[in-house]
Every structure is written in C-alpha cells, then in structure tokens.
Amino acid sequence: MRTVLLLALAAVLASCATPAERAAQVERDVEQMITVYGPACERLGYKAENDQWRDCILRLNAQQRYESYASYSRFPTSTTCIGHRGFFHCTTF
C-alpha cells in the first residue's frame, strides 16, 4: 500500500511545472500578445517598445479575454440528468 501511495505522490510531483517552465510559458504568452496586439497599438498611435505601448497591449489582451469569457457565461444554464447506471439522459436549459 505504501508503495502505491509513494508512486502516486511521485507521479503528481513529476507532473508539476518547475518555475523555469512556468517562466518560459509566460514568455511565450507575452511574445504572442506582442505579435497579435503590437501592430494594432502602433496603428492607434503608440510608439513601439515604450510603457504606453505595453499598456495598450495588455489592455487589448484583457479586453479580448473578457469578451471571450463573457460569451461563454452570457446566459445561465441548468443541466438535469436522469437515469440509472449505464444510461443517462441529460437536458440543459
């Protein structure tokens, strides 16, 4: 029993991202935001590579994330499932 618990704990710990991996992921996300929103901020009149330009990129990204989140949770839903083991019928309103 202890062996199984130790193996499970080792698997969970091995799947955790290290700080270096998380930092690399954040860098990739920032590069993608610059690629997507950088030209739009330049067209809006911000000079590249200054604080106002970076703020513009962050605001546009936040706005896009908010809009995508709002489209998923626009209407409240309720799901009801009836049935027995092996067969379920679910209805979402």
Side-chain angles (χ1 to χ4, degrees):
M1 184 68 178
R2 288 184 185 173
T3 306
V4 172
L5 289 175
L6 288 175
L7 288 174
L9 179 62
V12 167
L13 291 176
S15 66
C16 294
T18 65
E21 291 170 342
R22 287 192 296 256
Q25 178 62 40
V26 169
E27 286 180 20
R28 287 191 296 270
D29 291 344
V30 169
E31 289 298 323
Q32 181 182 8
M33 284 191 303
I34 289 171
T35 302
V36 172
Y37 302 113
C41 289
E42 289 174 10
R43 282 191 298 250
L44 288 172
Y46 295 102
K47 293 181 182 178
E49 301 297 327
N50 65 21
D51 287 340
Q52 290 84 15
W53 178 76
R54 290 179 187 95
D55 184 57
C56 175
I57 289 173
L58 292 174
R59 283 186 287 118
L60 288 177
N61 183 51
Q63 179 183 2
Q64 188 272 330
R65 284 185 180 218
Y66 173 76
E67 288 172 357
S68 67
Y69 175 75
S71 67
Y72 287 114
S73 61
R74 181 171 289 162
F75 301 106
T77 60
S78 175
T79 302
T80 304
C81 297
I82 58 171
H84 53 84
R85 195 165 98 184
F87 174 76
F88 288 99
H89 178 72
C90 297
T91 305
T92 301
F93 298 101

